[in-house]
């Protein structure tokens, strides 16, 4: 996408995934991570309520404080999550999905369902490939 094309994408014109300069690629990189998927799912399960940072971390096994913070910052910057801070000591920080974030959850839910339904097939394909590689 040309610079003009990138500006057009910023105004709501559909992007082109196959154009190396299209911002769609960067967006897919951000929303395609396991932590983004888990955060969106966790917030969607709580919707319309807010979830505190510490509770999000408890509900997302394996996520580090830093990775959750980076993920939430990215989701907030993209307008998918809203953040609210209560000025207490220490500050209490709450998150919830925006309407845009809820629309992403619908798309991610389909992908999660597909992955759960086809994981055994993927595992078998990996095992067969590994066996062929070991024998060859």
């Amino acid at each position: 996408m040309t610079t003009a094309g990138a500006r057009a994408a910023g105004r709501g014109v559909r992007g082109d995934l196959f154009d190396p300069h299209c911002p769609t690629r960067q967006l897919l990189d951000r929303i395609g991570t396991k932590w983004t998927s888990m955060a969106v799912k966790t917030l969607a399960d709580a919707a319309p309520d807010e979830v505190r940072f510490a509770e999000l971390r408890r509900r997302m096994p394996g996520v580090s404080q830093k990775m959750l913070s980076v993920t939430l910052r990215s989701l907030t910057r993209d307008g998918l999550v809203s953040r609210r801070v209560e000025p207490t000591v220490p500050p209490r920080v709450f998150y919830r999905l925006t309407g845009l974030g809820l629309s992403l959850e619908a798309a991610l839910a389909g992908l999660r369902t597909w992955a759960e339904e086809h994981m055994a097939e993927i595992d078998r394909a990996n095992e067969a490939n590994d066996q062929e590689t070991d024998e060859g």
Side-chain angles (χ1 to χ4, degrees):
M1 180 179 294
T2 64
T3 303
R7 282 193 303 268
R11 292 190 308 269
V13 176
R14 188 179 182 105
D16 179 1
L17 173 65
F18 294 98
D19 182 332
H21 304 292
C22 181
T24 302
R25 286 186 174 200
Q26 290 83 28
L27 177 59
L28 287 172
D29 283 344
R30 291 193 304 273
I31 64 174
T33 71
K34 68 181 175 186
W35 300 125
T36 293
S37 183
M38 289 176 74
V40 169
K41 168 76 169 125
T42 302
L43 291 168
D45 287 348
D49 295 332
E50 298 174 315
V51 181
R52 288 189 61 197
F53 182 91
E55 181 61 25
L56 271 171
R57 188 162 178 222
R58 275 192 292 278
R59 294 182 191 183
M60 295 173 57
V63 70
S64 68
Q65 181 172 338
K66 180 178 180 177
M67 185 51 64
L68 181 56
S69 179
V70 166
T71 299
L72 290 168
R73 190 175 308 121
S74 176
L75 290 168
T76 301
R77 184 173 185 267
D78 288 337
L80 300 166
V81 168
S82 66
R83 178 179 187 265
R84 182 176 66 85
V85 180
E86 285 185 358
T88 59
V89 178
R92 292 171 42 125
V93 184
F94 298 85
Y95 297 90
R96 82 167 52 166
L97 286 179
T98 63
L100 188 59
L102 285 168
S103 72
L104 175 60
E105 165 51 19
L108 290 176
L111 184 57
R112 278 192 310 272
T113 298
W114 181 90
E116 291 167 355
E117 290 175 355
H118 296 284
M119 196 61 241
E121 292 172 74
I122 301 296
D123 283 343
R124 285 192 296 275
N126 281 299
E127 290 170 9
N129 186 277
D130 291 348
Q131 191 172 28
E132 287 176 15
T133 302
D134 291 343
E135 291 172 359

